[in-house]
Amino acid sequence: MEKEILRTNILPTVPLRGKVAFPRVTISFEVGRQMTLKAVERASASAERLLFICTQKVTEKDEIVPSDLYSVGCVAKIKQIAQLPGGVVRVSAEGLYRAKARTVSAEDGCFYAVCDELAPVHGDEVLEEAYLRAAKALVKDVLLADGKIAKETYAKYENCQDADEYIDCILAAMRVRMDIKQAILEERRTVERLKLFERCLNDELEISKIEKKIATTVRKNIDKSQKEYFLREQLKAIHSELGEDGKEEDEYREKIKAKGLPEEVEKKCLKEIDRLSKMNSTSPEYTVITGYLDQILELAWTEKTEDTQKLADCVKILEADHYGLDKIKERITEYLAVLKLTGEMKAPVLCFVGPPGVGKTSIARSIARALNRKFVRMSLGGVKDEAEIRGHRRTYIGAMPGRVIYAMKNAGTVNPVFLLDEIDKISSDMRGDPASALLEVLDPEQNDTFRDRYLEVPYDLSKVLFVTTANSLETIPAPLRDRMEIIEVSGYTLEEKTEIAKRYLVPKQLKANRLTDGQAKFTADGLRAVIEGYTREAGVRTLERTIGTVIRKIAVLHADEKDKPFEKVDRKRVLEILGAPRFTGDEVRKEEEVGAVTGLAWTAVGGTTLTVEACLVPGKGEVKLTGKLGDVMKESAQAALTYIRAHAEEYRINKQAFEENDLHIHVPEGATPKDGPSAGVTMATAILSAFTGRKVRRDVAMTGEITLRGKVLPIGGLKEKSLAARRIGIKTVIMPAENKKDIEEIPESVRKDIAFVPVTGVEEVFRLALREAEKPADGGKSSRRTPKKPPVLPLSEVGSHDGVRC
């Protein structure tokens, strides 16, 4: 018997996952974990290039500790190291001898093991020889049974007389469970190892027999299927003799010929029918092809509706369905007029942009009715998968066309009005970008050959009148935006809302609640009370819901008393039904204050007003900006402060005031994000008011971007901002002079109530918005120029955009 421990080494340790290393066998493995890479690096740097290889108990575990490793492994010598892509290293090592780790510790980023060599423990030599011969016979049976051992491996070790070497080499070549291999590796007594090895071989032999039995059963089932196919072919021949074969294929051919398809599409369909005729009807592919042909036949390829012949009829329908929206009505009338003159033209792609509730979606339905076309709608809100637009390839199970083709199938014509609703809410993820897929759909130069992945043939969308809607253009990709004709739809004024409620909303709610005009009659004063006191929106959705609430309250009174006299809904009755108003008619600041200025802003839901506050506190000249302001708005504040500091002497501000005070600028409603440059003049006015103590007029609102030189640059959304100013009772709006051209778009009723003052420089803003200080802020130490009168222009010059109280 040999000594139990022959040698002891301290070696870098490599834990393997799902593999067991054996002596006298070359093993290859890939290394990717940092601690394992470190161990290989340390071993390869040593003279002997030795490392200790053991097996990890739980294969799936990435972060391991010494207790996660089997203690018995193999000491191996590194033969070759190859660098693979991705930072992975392939190592080839030759097993030298079995060893047991006395201790394993983590040092310098890798595991080190104090390992002792395990010598084999031999017993009765005759008994070992008997077990070895039995094992060799079983190995031969396993090889013949299933080829689980390579013939070369079997031949190489057939004459091996060392039982331990034979077990290690054969076991390393077999596909056996890791725990069985580990148990045999750990056993030191040769006779016991042979017993475990023999038991393992017997198990593999039984498994091979079971696998053969299963394979035989499967083969029988295949033979049965072939027999059924042969019988079906015979049955098919019998039907052929009777003249009854190919009925379904012939029906498809007749339908395809009669459909009048384009040449390429017809050729594709006939090719699919030829495939169908050679296929077993029970085949899954048979169903896929018939489904494809059905989709082609259900689509409209030549069918279309005749457009309205008289422009007057088209205009009449649009006017009956919607109040206002003049730009949209004019554009549709232009399209119909050109179509009537030319006889053929590519339909435009219109994009209606505006706040919610202004009628963008409903006007699209009215356009279809006015043009005498079919109407289909596709909501793009939340769509993330490109396949929603282009469809899935037929190679996928359950494949179907995209939603564009599906909508065209529902329309049944090639020239419907196709509404793509909420195009600004589209998004993308790993499944593709739907916005990019829409580029082909909405490009008049390409959409006559639109290819759906399911159809695999071109489909003409050039006759479709595409209408898209959006609340904002900012989230629409530039290439997609470039393909659309943008028509802005602004919010409604009080007069427009009153007229819309009287013409459409009240009759609609009366009908929905089964009341008549005789049972509930709104007065103009009652409608204004609802609009001013209970709604604050650019559109009319909340207004419709509020009117519905009033009518339902009245319906309760009429439910039991059918003959009850009609209800007059005036301002007093509205207050009784709805209670105290949610909004006051005039929310302008109650009094003039120092450092508080009313500004105007534009949002995706229309215009709004905001108050910019500036306050000085003793400090070191720091500037604090609060109110969840964006980067652009913060930069505007810095530009405004720089201008005030540069002109401090002109405004009688002691320069020490900038060093001895901290400036705090705040925009209320701090939970709402705010950004944009148009609050520049508002911030400059608030800062100057705070430093000079001059009060700000409460009936003045302003908008405009400021430069370091004090210039006032143009802004967008003037109409929406003006509507917001009017809602809170503002009398004067200061705006950039370059926006004078936008005044024509503002409703006349708003121009009558608000004086618009165009300015080119911030000095003009200060002269109009700030009251004179009771005494100079610096005690009169600095000079000040005499202010000029602000340029409010007379009514006679409104037509040229120069004056603006209209």
Side-chain angles (χ1 to χ4, degrees), residues 425-446:
K425 310 298 189 302
I426 205 167
S427 55
S428 61
D429 63 6
M430 62 181 182
R431 293 170 293 182
D433 184 6
S436 299
L438 282 174
L439 293 177
E440 183 183 3
V441 175
L442 298 181
D443 191 339
E445 300 300 324
Q446 300 180 43

Side-chain angles (χ1 to χ4, degrees), residues 35 48 50 79 81 86 116 186 196 208 248 259 262 313 334 419 545 558 567 570 601 608 731 753 774:
M35 60 177 215
E48 295 178 334
L50 297 181
K79 292 293 185 182
I81 297 176
D116 303 322
E186 292 179 358
L196 291 173
S208 297
E248 189 171 12
K259 186 72 175 175
D313 294 341
E334 291 169 2
L419 174 64
R545 286 193 292 268
H558 286 270
E567 186 90 20
D570 55 11
T608 186
K731 301 301 180 185
D753 293 340
E774 294 181 3

Side-chain angles (χ1 to χ4, degrees), residues 535-656:
T535 66
R536 181 65 47 93
E537 58 178 343
V540 292
R541 282 207 182 107
T542 306
L543 175 60
E544 182 178 358
R545 286 193 292 268
T546 309
I547 290 173
T549 301
V550 174
I551 291 175
R552 285 193 298 275
K553 299 285 187 184
I554 296 173
V556 173
L557 302 176
H558 286 270
D560 295 329
E561 302 178 36
K562 300 291 185 183
D563 299 328
K564 187 177 177 66
F566 83 92
E567 186 90 20
K568 182 181 179 182
V569 186
D570 55 11
R571 181 178 291 271
K572 181 180 178 182
R573 188 70 178 116
V574 168
L575 292 175
E576 291 174 358
I577 294 175
L578 298 177
R582 292 175 56 199
F583 307 101
T584 59
D586 183 0
E587 288 192 356
V588 72
R589 288 181 290 115
K590 303 299 181 184
E591 57 185 22
E592 295 180 349
E593 302 172 274
V594 173
V597 186
T598 302
L600 300 174
W602 182 89
T603 68
V605 294
T608 186
T609 58
L610 51 83
T611 301
V612 175
E613 301 173 342
C615 179
L616 295 181
V617 294
K620 301 179 180 179
E622 296 179 355
V623 180
K624 188 174 184 180
L625 302 170
T626 57
K628 207 168 186 181
L629 309 184
D631 292 339
V632 177
M633 203 166 182
K634 290 178 181 178
E635 291 170 0
S636 295
Q638 294 289 351
L641 177 60
T642 300
Y643 175 81
I644 299 297
R645 293 189 67 169
H647 298 80
E649 186 176 346
E650 298 177 24
Y651 299 112
R652 297 184 181 181
I653 302 174
N654 192 331
K655 293 188 177 181
Q656 291 182 353

Side-chain angles (χ1 to χ4, degrees), residues 48-247:
E48 295 178 334
R49 296 169 66 88
L50 297 181
L51 50 76
F52 178 63
I53 302 175
C54 59
T55 303
Q56 187 174 314
K57 295 177 182 178
V58 181
T59 305
E60 296 77 17
K61 199 169 182 181
D62 286 323
E63 300 293 332
I64 58 174
V65 294
S67 60
D68 293 324
L69 307 177
Y70 286 106
S71 59
V72 177
C74 179
V75 172
K77 183 175 183 179
I78 297 175
K79 292 293 185 182
Q80 187 178 18
I81 297 176
Q83 196 77 32
L84 300 180
V88 178
V89 173
R90 179 182 290 277
V91 180
S92 179
E94 181 184 7
L96 300 179
Y97 55 87
R98 283 185 296 167
K100 182 175 182 179
R102 190 187 307 168
T103 60
V104 179
S105 59
E107 295 178 18
D108 298 329
C110 68
F111 287 140
Y112 278 87
V114 179
C115 37
D116 303 322
E117 181 182 358
L118 295 181
V121 179
H122 295 285
D124 188 342
E125 293 183 359
V126 176
L127 190 60
E128 284 184 11
E129 181 64 21
Y131 274 116
L132 180 59
R133 291 182 183 182
K136 288 183 177 181
L138 281 171
V139 168
K140 186 176 182 180
D141 290 339
V142 171
L143 173 63
L144 295 175
D146 195 28
K148 290 189 175 182
I149 303 172
K151 291 182 179 180
E152 294 79 8
T153 304
Y154 173 77
K156 181 178 180 181
Y157 297 105
E158 185 179 9
N159 298 321
C160 179
Q161 296 304 314
D162 187 332
D164 289 290
E165 181 181 357
Y166 185 81
I167 293 171
D168 292 338
C169 296
I170 296 297
L171 201 57
M174 290 181 66
R175 290 174 295 173
V176 181
R177 288 205 327 262
M178 181 191 73
D179 57 335
I180 296 175
K181 287 185 175 183
Q182 183 66 31
I184 296 174
L185 178 70
E186 292 179 358
E187 181 57 57
R188 295 176 59 196
R189 293 169 296 177
T190 304
V191 172
E192 293 300 320
R193 292 193 79 198
L194 285 166
K195 289 180 181 179
L196 291 173
F197 185 51
E198 183 179 356
R199 191 181 307 156
C200 172
L201 292 172
N202 280 315
D203 291 341
E204 288 299 309
L205 193 58
E206 289 299 318
I207 291 171
S208 297
K209 291 178 180 178
I210 294 171
E211 287 176 347
K212 279 187 176 181
K213 186 177 179 182
I214 294 171
T216 304
T217 304
V218 171
R219 194 175 298 111
K220 286 181 179 178
N221 291 334
I222 293 173
D223 292 340
K224 184 180 178 182
S225 298
Q226 290 176 340
K227 180 181 178 183
E228 289 176 355
Y229 175 76
F230 178 74
L231 292 174
R232 285 196 187 93
E233 289 298 314
Q234 286 185 323
L235 188 61
K236 191 174 181 180
I238 293 170
H239 283 302
S240 178
E241 291 296 325
L242 296 174
E244 298 175 353
D245 63 317
K247 273 190 174 182

Side-chain angles (χ1 to χ4, degrees), residues 452-464:
D452 185 274
R453 287 173 179 163
Y454 180 86
L455 296 184
E456 298 177 339
V457 291
Y459 187 81
D460 188 2
L461 295 174
S462 63
K463 297 179 178 63
V464 179

Side-chain angles (χ1 to χ4, degrees), residues 704-772:
E705 181 180 354
I706 188 175
T707 69
L708 290 176
R709 296 175 297 163
K711 303 296 182 182
V712 180
L713 302 183
I715 46 83
L718 182 62
K719 179 182 176 182
E720 288 77 10
K721 293 177 180 179
S722 303
L723 295 176
R726 189 201 188 202
R727 280 200 299 267
I728 70 164
I730 293 295
K731 301 301 180 185
T732 303
V733 170
I734 302 174
M735 66 176 200
E738 293 185 41
N739 285 108
K740 287 189 291 183
K741 62 184 182 299
D742 300 324
I743 295 177
E744 277 188 354
E745 298 181 5
I746 300 173
E748 185 178 354
S749 58
V750 178
R751 287 182 283 170
K752 287 181 179 179
D753 293 340
I754 296 178
F756 292 88
V757 182
V759 296
T760 57
V762 74
E763 286 188 358
E764 302 170 66
V765 178
F766 298 155
R767 291 169 191 154
L768 182 65
L770 296 175
R771 298 292 187 189
E772 290 296 330

Side-chain angles (χ1 to χ4, degrees), residues 196-345:
L196 291 173
F197 185 51
E198 183 179 356
R199 191 181 307 156
C200 172
L201 292 172
N202 280 315
D203 291 341
E204 288 299 309
L205 193 58
E206 289 299 318
I207 291 171
S208 297
K209 291 178 180 178
I210 294 171
E211 287 176 347
K212 279 187 176 181
K213 186 177 179 182
I214 294 171
T216 304
T217 304
V218 171
R219 194 175 298 111
K220 286 181 179 178
N221 291 334
I222 293 173
D223 292 340
K224 184 180 178 182
S225 298
Q226 290 176 340
K227 180 181 178 183
E228 289 176 355
Y229 175 76
F230 178 74
L231 292 174
R232 285 196 187 93
E233 289 298 314
Q234 286 185 323
L235 188 61
K236 191 174 181 180
I238 293 170
H239 283 302
S240 178
E241 291 296 325
L242 296 174
E244 298 175 353
D245 63 317
K247 273 190 174 182
E248 189 171 12
E249 290 86 344
D250 291 340
E251 287 177 4
Y252 275 120
R253 280 194 180 90
E254 291 174 6
K255 290 178 181 178
I256 293 297
K257 293 290 185 182
K259 186 72 175 175
L261 300 173
E263 183 180 352
E264 183 179 348
V265 180
E266 184 174 328
K267 185 178 178 181
K268 171 73 173 176
C269 290
L270 293 176
K271 184 178 179 181
E272 293 294 328
I273 293 172
D274 290 338
R275 287 182 60 206
L276 196 68
S277 61
K278 300 172 184 177
M279 201 172 292
N280 189 345
S281 60
T282 60
S283 169
E285 186 67 17
Y286 190 93
T287 307
V288 171
I289 294 175
T290 55
Y292 173 79
L293 294 172
D294 289 338
Q295 291 285 356
I296 293 287
L297 291 170
E298 289 173 8
L299 267 174
W301 295 89
T302 56
E303 300 86 349
K304 66 177 182 178
T305 55
E306 294 297 327
D307 290 330
T308 303
Q309 295 299 315
K310 295 183 179 179
L311 292 179
D313 294 341
C314 175
V315 174
K316 185 178 179 181
I317 293 172
L318 291 174
E319 291 291 346
D321 287 351
H322 288 79
Y323 181 82
L325 304 179
D326 296 330
K327 286 185 179 180
I328 297 176
K329 293 175 182 177
E330 289 175 7
R331 185 63 184 89
I332 297 303
T333 306
E334 291 169 2
Y335 166 67
L336 191 60
V338 175
L339 184 63
K340 187 176 180 181
L341 291 173
T342 60
E344 188 73 24
M345 69 172 291

